[in-house]
Amino acid sequence: MKVIGYGELGTAKGIPYSQQWIRKMIHQGKFPKPIKLGERATGFIEAEIDAWLAEKAAARTGEAA
């Protein structure tokens, strides 16, 4: 299982949102929740981010993910 940080969401996954906007989406249940890695560190499970991106792509084309 690979864990990625906020910075990698943009660089590796092409997600253009700021940390503040991502946190808002998480609170609304529209983005995968991060996992706590330490006292001040969080990350995202890469497979969950990939699934979220696939769901968005499928919604664009009207397909079921």
Side-chain angles (χ1 to χ4, degrees):
M1 170 185 338
K2 184 174 178 186
V3 177
I4 60 175
Y6 279 99
E8 292 177 280
L9 291 176
T11 58
K13 299 298 177 182
I15 298 171
Y17 305 128
S18 68
Q19 283 188 27
Q20 182 179 1
W21 189 255
I22 289 172
R23 286 184 186 118
K24 183 177 182 176
M25 290 173 52
I26 292 166
H27 181 71
Q28 295 172 346
K30 297 179 181 178
F31 197 84
K33 291 182 179 182
I35 59 172
K36 193 153 181 74
L37 300 172
E39 200 170 305
R40 297 182 63 192
T42 59
F44 297 89
I45 298 172
E46 185 178 36
E48 292 179 358
I49 299 300
D50 290 342
W52 179 82
L53 288 168
E55 180 182 311
K56 294 296 178 189
R60 178 189 67 185
T61 60
E63 301 172 6

